[in-house]
Amino acid sequence: MYLTFYNLSVPPFHITPDPKFLYLSPSHKEALAAIIYGIEQRKGFVAIIGGVGVGKTTILRSYLQSVQKKRLKIIYIFNAMLTFQELLKAVYRELGLTFESDDTTEMANGLYEFLIDEYQAGNSVVLVIDEAQNMPVDTLENLRMLSNFETPTDKLIQIVLVGQPEFAELLDSDRLRPLKQRLAIRSTILPLTKKESLEYMKFRLSKAGSSPERTFKASALKRIIDASMGIPRIINILCDNALITGFGYHQKPITKKIATEVIRDLKGVKPLPLFRRWLIGTSALALLILGVMWLMPYQESVLGRIKPLVSAEQGRSINGGDQNLKEEETKGTVAAHRSASGAPAPETVDQKAKYTGKGLKETAQPHTAADGPASSSAPNKPSLTKRTVARGDSLSKLAQQTYGNFNADIMNLIRKENPHITNPNLILAGTTIALPKVTVPERKPDND
């Protein structure tokens, strides 16, 4: 279907074990050498172990197609779930023999006579059992009987056991220890490395008349290699599906996006609909905004508490720690500071009380027109300054602007006049706050 579009002569990634596309990694070469040596040297038992899809059957069939079958009689058992009697009957059928009895001993003796004749004629008989991990333990135990068919120098029948890693665990059991000791050769086929996976894909594409550069982008190849975990069968499935999908999109070469889509389909993972992806993104953004808004009042409060401390420390540094400042200089400094902030300066103030907040008291001052109409119900109440909270204001900020300082005593006085303030760190814009006028009693300079 996609051959012409991608300039391919044959499908390069069929999952059937085609010996034409046999790629030999170091572990594949070792397994093939073990099969050739074990059969041609009449060693008896040969075990080939490997995970699903690593190429065990491809290696085996590649060897069997390359040998001269005139001198080699092969019995291939696909279904290993057989009793020993059923196994002997299958061997008889493959060799064209007839069995006159179902007794396993008589059938084994008849097979022995046949093997002697073949050996004398210069022929070899090979029994290949695929998926050996599925064979019952009793049947595997009785295979030792066939290994006893031998001459003083050679085994009369060569048995190749091909299985998954579970078969290796089965061989390690106590019941099959005698069989394991009879294994003349044992080889393990490993998954491909990333470098070998890339070479594997290049090899198969070249066999089909193309190259990776013309068919796949480098990012797509890397994506497929990572997802395949070095299993040739998975590489074949992913690449074949990528070619089909790319042909449907008329995309050449295959992109990383197509490779990702194919991998996701193979794993059964469906992408989220566009509406759900939009909804998730919008919800995350809304939560972020709400979190920032929730933290803003606390940020204002913290900054309001830090600024007075910094100002106080700077004041101490400028004054150099001199405790004998003149009262007139102190008054001028404080008055200038409060004038800059727009707050009325008291007539007298002690420098130490300015930073500690000690001795602050409410004072009743004459009512002026600027303060608004006087309340007839509270004639003795101290005069107040009304402030309307603006956006971004905090209690500490307003107190700092009004008094040039902010501490616990000032906050208590303000909260006393504003019982509606339940949280000093959270005041709403538009709220009116009454700020009582306070003074600090004079303090005579210390005479050390």
Side-chain angles (χ1 to χ4, degrees):
M1 171 168 68
Y2 53 74
L3 298 182
T4 303
F5 183 74
Y6 290 105
N7 300 318
L8 299 169
S9 58
V10 292
F13 295 105
H14 267 326
I15 62 174
T16 54
D18 187 352
K20 176 183 176 182
F21 289 95
L22 176 64
Y23 170 80
L24 294 176
S25 70
S27 63
H28 285 82
K29 291 179 181 178
E30 180 182 340
L32 181 58
I35 294 172
I36 295 173
Y37 179 76
I39 292 176
E40 294 184 357
Q41 298 299 318
R42 298 179 179 271
K43 292 298 183 179
F45 279 107
V46 177
I48 304 298
I49 310 295
V52 178
V54 295
K56 304 183 297 295
T57 304
T58 304
I59 288 287
L60 187 59
R61 290 189 178 181
S62 176
Y63 167 73
L64 297 178
Q65 285 190 5
S66 65
V67 298
Q68 295 182 358
K69 295 185 179 179
K70 291 182 180 180
R71 293 292 181 181
L72 192 65
K73 294 188 176 182
I74 302 168
I75 306 155
Y76 205 117
I77 304 298
F78 298 94
N79 179 20
M81 298 184 66
L82 302 171
T83 64
F84 186 62
Q85 183 188 64
E86 292 170 342
L87 178 62
L88 288 176
K89 289 182 179 181
V91 171
Y92 265 66
R93 285 192 295 267
E94 291 293 324
L95 294 176
L97 303 177
T98 57
F99 46 90
E100 299 177 356
S101 173
D102 290 341
D103 183 72
T104 55
T105 302
E106 292 184 10
M107 293 176 69
N109 291 334
L111 179 60
Y112 176 74
E113 293 176 1
F114 175 82
L115 295 175
I116 287 291
D117 294 339
E118 292 294 317
Y119 179 76
Q120 291 175 349
N123 300 325
S124 295
V125 177
V126 180
L127 173 61
V128 178
I129 300 176
D130 206 352
E131 303 296 339
Q133 74 277 356
N134 296 327
M135 180 163 279
V137 176
D138 292 338
T139 306
L140 289 171
E141 281 186 307
N142 286 319
L143 280 178
R144 289 181 300 151
M145 184 186 301
L146 300 183
S147 69
N148 292 330
F149 297 165
E150 59 188 2
T151 68
T153 57
D154 298 316
K155 296 290 185 180
L156 295 178
I157 183 170
Q158 316 311 313
I159 303 175
V160 180
L161 301 170
V162 182
Q164 298 176 19
E166 294 85 353
F167 179 58
E169 297 176 3
L170 197 61
L171 290 173
D172 290 334
S173 63
D174 293 337
R175 289 186 61 183
L176 293 181
R177 187 180 302 168
L179 175 62
K180 182 179 179 181
Q181 293 175 353
R182 284 172 169 77
L183 293 177
I185 303 174
R186 178 172 172 174
S187 181
T188 301
I189 301 178
L190 302 174
L192 303 176
T193 64
K194 290 187 177 182
K195 180 180 179 181
E196 293 167 354
S197 297
L198 180 59
E199 292 175 352
Y200 173 83
M201 298 169 73
K202 290 181 178 179
F203 173 79
R204 294 188 75 106
L205 285 169
S206 64
K207 286 288 184 178
S210 183
S211 65
E213 293 78 15
R214 297 202 306 266
T215 315
F216 289 87
K217 287 190 175 181
S219 57
L221 290 175
K222 183 179 183 303
R223 189 76 179 87
I224 291 174
I225 289 172
D226 292 340
S228 69
M229 297 176 293
I231 307 300
R233 183 180 297 170
I234 297 180
I235 294 177
N236 291 350
I237 294 173
L238 292 177
C239 288
D240 190 57
N241 280 271
L243 290 171
I244 295 173
T245 305
F247 174 71
Y249 289 141
H250 269 63
Q251 176 65 51
K252 182 170 59 176
I254 301 297
T255 62
K256 180 181 178 181
K257 182 178 179 181
I258 293 177
T260 302
E261 178 181 337
V262 169
I263 293 167
R264 187 166 51 234
D265 291 341
L266 180 65
K267 294 181 178 180
V269 179
K270 295 183 179 180
L272 290 174
L274 180 61
F275 172 75
R276 292 186 63 185
R277 281 181 281 171
W278 176 86
L279 183 61
I280 291 174
T282 305
S283 301
L285 180 60
L287 289 174
L288 178 61
I289 293 173
L290 288 174
V292 172
M293 294 178 64
W294 184 78
L295 290 174
M296 284 178 63
Y298 297 96
Q299 181 183 11
E300 293 284 350
S301 174
V302 172
L303 292 176
R305 294 181 183 181
I306 292 177
K307 288 179 180 178
L309 296 178
V310 174
S311 300
E313 188 63 33
Q314 290 176 347
R316 294 190 185 97
S317 176
I318 293 173
N319 292 329
D322 187 1
Q323 300 297 324
N324 297 317
L325 293 176
K326 294 182 179 180
E327 185 174 354
E328 292 79 4
E329 294 176 346
T330 302
K331 292 180 180 178
T333 302
V334 175
H337 175 75
R338 293 189 176 178
S339 176
S341 63
E347 295 182 3
T348 59
V349 63
D350 181 44
Q351 179 72 8
K352 185 175 181 180
K354 175 178 181 293
Y355 294 112
T356 62
K358 294 180 179 179
L360 293 179
K361 296 182 180 179
E362 292 184 358
T363 60
Q365 296 183 5
H367 177 74
T368 63
D371 296 330
S375 174
S376 59
S377 61
N380 296 325
K381 186 172 180 153
S383 59
L384 304 174
T385 299
K386 300 293 184 68
R387 294 290 299 272
T388 300
V389 178
R391 184 178 180 85
D393 283 345
S394 65
L395 198 60
S396 60
K397 180 179 178 181
L398 295 175
Q400 185 71 28
Q401 293 176 352
T402 304
Y403 308 116
N405 191 16
F406 180 68
N407 52 46
D409 293 328
I410 293 177
M411 185 177 71
N412 289 335
L413 290 176
I414 295 175
R415 294 193 65 178
K416 178 180 177 182
E417 297 296 335
N418 300 273
H420 60 280
I421 299 179
T422 57
N423 185 355
N425 296 322
L426 180 62
I427 52 178
L428 300 179
T431 304
T432 301
I433 295 180
L435 299 174
K437 294 183 179 180
V438 298
T439 58
V440 180
E442 282 188 335
R443 178 181 175 181
K444 296 181 181 181
D446 295 333
N447 297 321
D448 293 337

